[in-house]
Amino acid sequence: MPAEQVHYRSPRDKDESPKRNKRLLDEIGSQNITLPGYYRPTKQWDLVVYHDKLPIVIIELKSQTGPSYGNNANNRAEEAIGNAVDLARAREVGLVPGHPWTGYVFVIEDDAASRRRGAHRDRSFYPKDVIFADWSHIDRVRLLSQRLVEDGLYDAAWAVATSRPTCPGAGNPKNCPQLGMNAAEHLHRFGWHELDTKTLSYVQFTAGLVSQIRQYYSAMQPTEDPITFLD
């Protein structure tokens, strides 16, 4: 696909001010990643691909780092569900044309706190789904992503856990989840793994994305096959 048809939010460096980031977003044309909503005026997506002014790919990118996973977990689920429902209704009433392929990408930090199972004291008046009886925060991201796709809210999802290459508690051990949870081994190295290699994999996600793109740009061939990128 032509590069000029791909529009996305540029990552902001941690030292950049929100005001400068907004100016950069305005310069690249925030209108290109902004689509009408049904329950709200507009929504800025993270990546939108066009063909003749028709949005053909829409992708939402989310991430979550520790150590306070529980504080933001519900917000992430509500955002994912709400964005998908809002887009679907906007399409149904003709505010967003065509039938864009939608993708959801979630990257969660992999550490002792996000892997910890069965220590969550969330209560409900009615019994909760038994699948949450012994869950970790990584499990929760996996289940959220799976059900978003199973229920047709997104066409595909890619869920990944990554670990930090350096200790986040440098100078203050209380900030390190491993030390705070009395982990047997205090070791930090970068690594990553997919939360479900069958239904939430890079290969499956990319296959759906490429299939959609080639319906509109079939004459253009990539310089390398993206499916084999991680082989």
Side-chain angles (χ1 to χ4, degrees):
M1 55 193 169
E4 62 270 17
Q5 296 294 334
V6 183
H7 304 274
Y8 58 92
R9 288 175 178 268
S10 180
R12 179 173 66 89
D13 292 337
K14 63 180 180 180
D15 296 328
E16 289 181 352
S17 67
K19 182 180 293 186
R20 180 174 184 271
N21 187 48
K22 183 180 184 301
R23 186 174 70 251
L24 291 173
L25 186 60
D26 290 339
E27 289 174 357
I28 65 171
S30 60
Q31 72 274 10
N32 295 324
I33 61 171
T34 303
L35 295 175
Y38 178 80
Y39 299 101
R40 57 189 166 183
T42 59
K43 151 72 177 167
Q44 285 189 350
W45 295 87
D46 292 306
L47 187 149
V48 181
V49 179
Y50 289 90
H51 178 269
D52 292 337
K53 298 184 179 180
L54 180 73
I56 60 174
V57 169
I58 300 173
I59 296 179
E60 181 83 346
L61 309 174
K62 290 296 179 184
S63 64
Q64 189 173 8
T65 60
S68 300
Y69 294 99
N71 292 342
N72 293 315
N74 279 345
N75 291 341
R76 291 291 181 265
E78 291 165 3
E79 290 168 354
I81 297 166
N83 290 338
V85 172
D86 191 35
L87 177 62
R89 287 292 291 131
R91 281 187 50 250
E92 289 173 359
V93 300
L95 292 169
V96 175
H99 190 94
W101 183 92
T102 56
Y104 185 72
V105 178
F106 200 122
V107 180
I108 184 172
E109 183 174 355
D110 184 4
D111 61 21
S114 63
R115 292 192 303 269
R116 189 177 184 183
R117 304 176 66 87
H120 312 286
R121 302 180 181 277
D122 50 341
R123 295 183 175 88
S124 170
F125 183 82
Y126 296 105
K128 61 186 176 186
D129 190 331
V130 294
I131 200 169
F132 290 113
D134 190 35
W135 57 273
S136 66
H137 286 291
I138 285 181
D139 293 331
R140 182 168 180 173
V141 171
R142 173 182 52 78
L143 183 62
L144 169 66
S145 302
Q146 288 172 335
R147 290 186 168 179
L148 288 173
V149 177
E150 289 172 358
D151 291 343
L153 294 177
Y154 293 85
D155 292 303
W158 183 28
V160 183
T162 65
S163 56
R164 294 175 185 258
T166 57
C167 179
N172 187 357
K174 291 182 179 180
N175 292 335
C176 179
Q178 291 188 27
L179 293 177
M181 297 176 65
N182 298 318
E185 184 180 27
H186 183 223
L187 178 66
H188 289 278
R189 68 164 64 97
F190 176 75
W192 67 277
H193 68 276
E194 296 177 324
L195 305 191
D196 182 342
T197 58
K198 294 183 179 180
T199 64
L200 303 175
S201 71
Y202 169 86
V203 170
Q204 186 179 52
F205 186 92
T206 308
L209 173 62
V210 170
S211 176
Q212 172 75 351
I213 292 295
R214 288 183 176 168
Q215 291 183 46
Y216 298 89
Y217 295 106
S218 58
M220 303 184 67
Q221 297 299 321
T223 56
E224 62 178 322
D225 189 348
I227 300 299
T228 62
F229 176 74
L230 294 182
D231 289 352

